[in-house]
Amino acid sequence: MRIKKAVFPIAGLGTRFLPATKAMPKEMLPVVDKPIIQYAVEEALASGIEQIIFVTGSGKGALEDHFDTNLRLEKTLEERKKTDLLQAVKSIVPSASCIVYTRQSEPLGLGHAIWCARDIVGDEPFAVLLADDLIQSEVPVLYQMINEFDRLRASMMAIVEVPKEETSRYGIIEGEEAFNGTFQVKSMVEKPEPENAPSNLAVIGRYILTPKIFKLLGKKQKGAGGEIQLTDAMSALLEEQPIFGYKFKGRRFDCGDKAGFQMANIAFSLERPDIREQLLPGLKKLIN
Ligand code: UTP
């Protein structure tokens, strides 16, 4: 029951970033010099994932090109002796047959996008990563979760504490702390208003799911926003199997949101000594 497959739902429209995302996939927006999807793929590979399953939609071609070889670019970099850049460009391409693509023909919701990967995943537990949630951590978050899964052998999702007034942006769990930082979920609700939220523990875009979820997603029940929601299928799964919320170690940025995306750029830039040196004085000037 090792977690070998990871699903990346990337078929959403990215409307919060229009007009930037009119012709460019949201997942290709760069944080410093890497598209956000690349951070998530690197996290998965560093966590032992062997198969990357992209659920794409129309207009996502740039993403497929990004993870493919660009012979013309490589040849030019080689001729110009740009060895570091050549290495960086080559290292993006995972080994042959590691990436599989499937399509979600209509953006019917996150739950539906995951359901589209059912035949590729098959009958084994699998991970789901939403690239929008970019996480700075010493140990890759998915690796932390896979370790916890080895102990719990149950569906899990990463959770963070959010300010009460922001609950309507997330799936929120009601849970009881079973181990240090791991909560057994009692119920969950998608985007509740603060007065109806059972807690301030919000689900973010890292999951490990048992294959039973596909049967529940297959019912295609519409939930919040008229979309087929993963949270609703997980609520139904809860009646059959335990589910846990895992408070990971790391700092998370919501790159699906404009302010969160800018914060991620600043935080990741400050980690880079070459950029930090120029950025800090500039930032100080801007703030004063
Ligand atoms: P979001 O809720 O962030 O939606 O989806 P979005 O379309 O990407 O962006 P906005 O809200 O319009 O700005 C969370 C994740 O689920 C995927 C998205 O690509 C994103 O990774 N998704 C969402 C799908 O793959 N299909 C869908 O039908 C909806």
Side-chain angles (χ1 to χ4, degrees):
M1 274 241 291
R2 223 160 47 80
I3 308 294
K4 291 178 297 206
K5 300 182 180 181
V7 176
F8 292 74
I10 49 170
L13 297 176
T15 53
R16 281 171 289 169
F17 273 95
L18 283 170
T21 47
K22 185 179 169 220
M24 181 178 67
K26 173 176 75 171
E27 298 77 13
M28 288 301 291
L29 291 172
V31 165
V32 190
D33 50 11
K34 271 198 284 192
I36 57 174
I37 187 70
Q38 195 180 327
Y39 289 93
V41 166
E42 285 174 358
E43 177 188 327
L45 295 174
S47 306
I49 294 297
E50 293 169 13
Q51 190 172 50
I52 306 287
I53 304 163
F54 284 132
V55 182
T56 72
S58 58
K60 302 282 176 172
L63 211 136
E64 297 183 21
D65 287 344
H66 185 72
F67 289 101
D68 199 2
T69 308
N70 182 335
L71 287 177
R72 202 162 138 242
L73 176 65
E74 288 183 13
K75 190 167 166 278
T76 309
L77 292 173
E78 214 166 332
E79 281 165 8
R80 295 184 186 168
K81 309 238 176 314
K82 306 255 185 200
T83 326
D84 288 355
L85 284 179
L86 178 64
Q87 191 42 42
V89 162
K90 277 185 162 175
S91 68
I92 298 166
V93 185
S95 59
S97 76
C98 171
I99 298 190
V100 178
Y101 294 91
T102 187
R103 300 274 283 207
Q104 183 192 27
S105 50
E106 269 183 281
L108 297 178
L110 171 62
H112 180 256
I114 295 170
W115 179 78
C116 291
R118 67 199 180 284
D119 289 337
I120 307 172
V121 171
D123 193 24
E124 57 185 279
F126 63 102
V128 174
L129 291 93
L130 305 187
D132 282 7
D133 283 315
L134 182 54
I135 301 162
Q136 246 179 354
S137 61
E138 265 176 41
V139 178
V141 171
L142 188 60
Y143 187 87
Q144 296 176 32
M145 290 178 72
I146 288 174
N147 271 345
E148 195 65 359
F149 175 82
D150 284 343
R151 191 157 71 102
L152 300 168
R153 300 273 147 191
S155 292
M156 302 165 50
M157 51 216 170
I159 51 171
V160 287
E161 281 181 36
V162 295
K164 194 84 182 169
E165 59 275 17
E166 288 180 14
T167 56
S168 62
R169 289 170 46 189
Y170 298 92
I172 300 288
I173 68 158
E174 177 195 4
E176 206 167 81
E177 194 156 12
F179 314 99
N180 191 13
T182 299
F183 290 70
Q184 174 144 14
V185 178
K186 288 190 164 165
S187 70
M188 48 198 297
V189 49
E190 185 65 26
K191 302 190 170 64
E193 291 304 324
E195 59 275 20
N196 301 325
S199 75
N200 67 337
L201 294 173
V203 178
I204 64 130
R206 297 291 182 279
Y207 305 83
I208 293 178
L209 299 171
T210 56
K212 197 147 217 176
I213 197 76
F214 290 124
K215 190 185 75 182
L216 301 164
L217 288 171
K219 294 187 177 165
K220 299 190 185 159
Q221 270 161 7
K222 288 188 178 162
E227 296 195 337
I228 299 169
Q229 298 284 1
L230 175 60
T231 309
D232 296 337
M234 290 189 78
S235 284
L237 183 65
L238 203 49
E239 287 171 22
E240 302 179 36
Q241 296 179 349
I243 299 181
F244 292 88
Y246 174 70
K247 259 192 191 175
F248 57 90
K249 289 160 199 70
R251 196 193 302 161
R252 167 251 179 194
F253 299 92
D254 179 4
C255 289
D257 169 80
K258 285 174 199 159
F261 176 71
Q262 302 307 337
M263 297 266 250
N265 264 293
I266 294 169
F268 278 75
S269 296
L270 290 174
E271 292 278 292
R272 296 262 294 262
D274 52 329
I275 307 176
R276 186 186 173 91
E277 213 174 285
Q278 291 177 39
L279 186 64
L280 262 185
L283 280 178
K284 278 184 192 152
K285 247 193 222 165
L286 271 180
I287 290 166
N288 291 328

